[in-house]
């Protein structure tokens, strides 16, 4: 699909399945990540630590690939490639490890309002940056949005987050989610 079509160009023929590339990336993550977690848990004395570092390492490599693979002539390769976009669910996986680790959780509970504020600021900065300079999506904007979203949601995961937690927990919003 990446090599045979143009996701961003309007060629007059819309495919109802064109958007499924992102679902394919998610499914690949759901298939492979449990195997990685099981392997890390089997071979490590500190499985959470190992899983967290594996998630961060692969996420960093993926974000760098997004940067390196992007070119004006071939936007699709960077944008739709699993290797260049797997950082997004991996940032979430790293966040799950942080929330599940007692020491990290205690720090998060202590600093929740600061982390939440930092997350909102990072998310908004990423959105503004991408809107102003669309190519910045590939040059760090996407990872900034992912990390900002994680920092914004992490306090909510542990039962904090104030008005944002209340808003996201509102019945109709939760139902949509």
């Amino acid at each position: 699909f990446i090599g045979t079509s143009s996701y961003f160009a309007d060629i007059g023929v819309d495919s109802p399945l064109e958007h499924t590339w992102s679902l394919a990336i998610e499914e690949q993550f759901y298939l492979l990540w449990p195997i990685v977690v099981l392997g890390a848990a089997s071979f490590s004395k500190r499985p959470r630590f190992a899983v967290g570092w594996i998630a961060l390492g692969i996420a960093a490599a993926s974000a760098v690939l997004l940067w390196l693979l992007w070119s004006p002539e071939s936007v699709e390769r960077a944008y739709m490639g699993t290797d260049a976009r797997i950082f997004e669910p991996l940032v979430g996986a790293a966040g799950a490890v942080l929330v599940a680790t007692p020491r990290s959780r205690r720090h998060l509970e202590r600093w929740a309002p600061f982390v939440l504020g930092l997350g909102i600021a990072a998310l908004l900065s990423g959105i503004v940056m991408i809107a102003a300079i669309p190519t910045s999506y590939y040059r760090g904007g996407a990872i900034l949005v992912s990390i900002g979203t994680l920092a914004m949601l992490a306090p909510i995961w542990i039962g904090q987050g104030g008005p944002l937690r209340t808003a996201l927990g509102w019945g109709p919003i939760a139902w949509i989610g």
Side-chain angles (χ1 to χ4, degrees), residues 82-133:
T82 300
D83 54 354
R85 293 296 296 274
I86 200 70
F87 69 87
E88 292 160 320
L90 286 170
V91 166
V97 169
L98 285 172
V99 170
T101 304
R103 183 176 177 197
S104 297
R105 190 179 178 102
R106 282 192 306 273
H107 288 299
L108 183 57
E109 288 170 351
R110 181 176 179 199
W111 295 98
F114 177 74
V115 172
L116 178 65
L118 194 61
I120 291 169
L123 179 60
L124 291 175
S125 296
I127 291 169
V128 168
M129 180 175 76
I130 293 166
I133 308 166

Side-chain angles (χ1 to χ4, degrees), residues 41-117:
S42 299
F43 297 108
S44 175
K45 292 179 182 178
R46 297 175 58 196
R48 271 191 225 132
F49 185 80
V51 169
W53 279 109
I54 290 168
L56 287 175
I58 298 171
S62 174
V64 168
L65 272 173
L66 180 67
W67 184 308
L68 296 175
L69 291 173
W70 180 83
S71 75
E73 299 81 32
S74 180
V75 176
E76 285 81 5
R77 173 60 185 91
Y79 192 77
M80 294 187 290
T82 300
D83 54 354
R85 293 296 296 274
I86 200 70
F87 69 87
E88 292 160 320
L90 286 170
V91 166
V97 169
L98 285 172
V99 170
T101 304
R103 183 176 177 197
S104 297
R105 190 179 178 102
R106 282 192 306 273
H107 288 299
L108 183 57
E109 288 170 351
R110 181 176 179 199
W111 295 98
F114 177 74
V115 172
L116 178 65

Side-chain angles (χ1 to χ4, degrees), residues 124-147:
L124 291 175
S125 296
I127 291 169
V128 168
M129 180 175 76
I130 293 166
I133 308 166
T135 58
S136 66
Y137 177 87
Y138 305 93
R139 307 283 193 242
I143 192 75
L144 181 62
V145 167
S146 296
I147 292 170

